[in-house]
Amino acid sequence: AQSVAQPEDQVNVAEGNPLTVKCTYSVSGNPYLFWYVQYPNRGLQFLLKYITGDNLVKGSYGFEAEFNKSQTSFHLKKPSALVSDSALYFCAAHSGAGSYQLTFGKGTKLSVIP
Amino acid sequence: DTEVTQTPKHLVMGMTNKKSLKCEQHMGHRAMYWYKQKAKKPPELMFVYSYEKLSINESVPSRFSPECPNSSLLNLHLHALQPEDSALYLCASRPQLRGDYNEQFFGPGTRLTVL
């Protein structure tokens, strides 16, 4: 069975400071990892994904994520947080080409304080 | 066109009503999904269609009935729902069910309230 863990329910950061939202995973086979963002009463928007290759993945809105195989982590980062980044962030995983299901973490609420 | 649309945006229904949710995409995706999402929780998979055929039913109660009339359209028919079924219902699509590494594209959701 595969699982995705987001250890923090909430992350608070001051505007302009760097932010990190943590994610660890447990999958059999090669992991395919995704970050989604959800604004209130909206659907999920795709931010970025790791499939293979460079461990540092760049995505939308200035976000990036670092894949670390030894630590089984895929933390989301941004160098300078904006108030508009405040939202609910989900890390998710497929366990390979044969997998149909996206396994989600529980979500982390990011609050950027002006 | 790279979006998934859902109608209606909001729906209020009584426990004896019959209603339907609609999802549409024109990206040529052949896998389409229904999810249920409670507040501040991750989406829960309900149904998956692949090439207009139901592939996955995650033990969803029969009061929810999915339908995929063509490759662009996905419906969710609702009947005799319970108040605990109130949630945000999300539709998503992906190029293929298996064998590709593409992300799922999500619609904006339908906020359902059952009275």
Side-chain angles (χ1 to χ4, degrees):
Chain A
Q2 60 188 38
S3 64
V4 175
Q6 293 180 244
E8 302 151 319
D9 290 335
Q10 175 139 3
V11 170
N12 297 322
V13 63
E15 186 177 23
N17 282 4
L19 70 87
T20 298
V21 183
K22 295 180 180 177
C23 172
T24 59
Y25 64 90
S26 174
V27 303
S28 56
N30 294 323
Y32 301 101
L33 303 166
F34 304 81
W35 275 102
Y36 285 88
V37 60
Q38 186 174 32
Y39 297 98
N41 295 310
R42 300 299 300 275
L44 276 67
Q45 295 179 32
F46 169 74
L47 281 179
L48 50 80
K49 65 183 176 185
Y50 172 83
I51 302 301
T52 188
D54 195 345
N55 289 344
L56 184 64
V57 179
K58 294 189 184 296
S60 307
Y61 313 119
F63 284 94
E64 58 188 28
E66 186 166 12
F67 173 69
N68 188 317
K69 187 173 183 178
S70 62
Q71 296 185 4
T72 62
S73 67
F74 189 55
H75 301 330
L76 181 70
K77 300 183 180 185
K78 188 174 182 181
S80 178
L82 300 173
V83 173
S84 57
D85 293 330
S86 299
L88 186 58
Y89 289 79
F90 289 103
C91 183
H94 275 287
S95 65
S99 170
Y100 67 87
Q101 187 167 352
L102 200 57
T103 298
F104 287 94
K106 66 179 181 179
T108 298
K109 183 179 178 182
L110 174 67
S111 294
V112 180
I113 303 156
Chain B
D1 187 356
T2 58
E3 67 172 358
V4 176
T5 59
Q6 290 188 245
T7 54
K9 289 184 178 174
H10 301 276
L11 179 63
V12 179
M13 59 186 291
M15 289 190 285
T16 58
N17 291 159
K18 285 185 180 181
K19 296 287 185 182
S20 296
L21 310 184
K22 178 181 171 180
C23 170
E24 200 160 4
Q25 57 87 15
H26 296 285
M27 295 178 279
H29 291 177
R30 305 313 297 269
M32 296 186 76
Y33 303 70
W34 279 116
Y35 289 90
K36 173 183 177 181
Q37 186 182 26
K38 291 284 200 178
K40 300 182 183 179
K41 298 291 186 183
E44 300 171 29
L45 185 64
M46 299 175 72
F47 302 103
V48 185
Y49 273 80
S50 178
Y51 287 85
E52 297 90 73
K53 292 192 183 335
L54 183 63
S55 293
I56 308 293
N57 177 341
E58 293 286 336
S59 303
V60 179
S62 60
R63 57 186 184 268
F64 295 91
S65 175
E67 178 195 21
C68 189
N70 60 55
S71 61
S72 300
L73 190 56
L74 186 66
N75 297 320
L76 186 62
H77 303 298
L78 313 173
H79 175 54
L81 294 193
Q82 304 296 311
E84 59 265 28
D85 296 322
S86 298
L88 182 67
Y89 287 83
L90 295 167
C91 174
S93 71
R94 191 173 177 224
Q96 300 286 340
L97 182 60
R98 302 175 195 267
D100 84 63
Y101 316 116
N102 287 286
E103 62 275 16
Q104 291 183 22
F105 289 72
F106 284 82
T110 293
R111 173 69 62 190
L112 174 67
T113 303
V114 182
L115 301 176

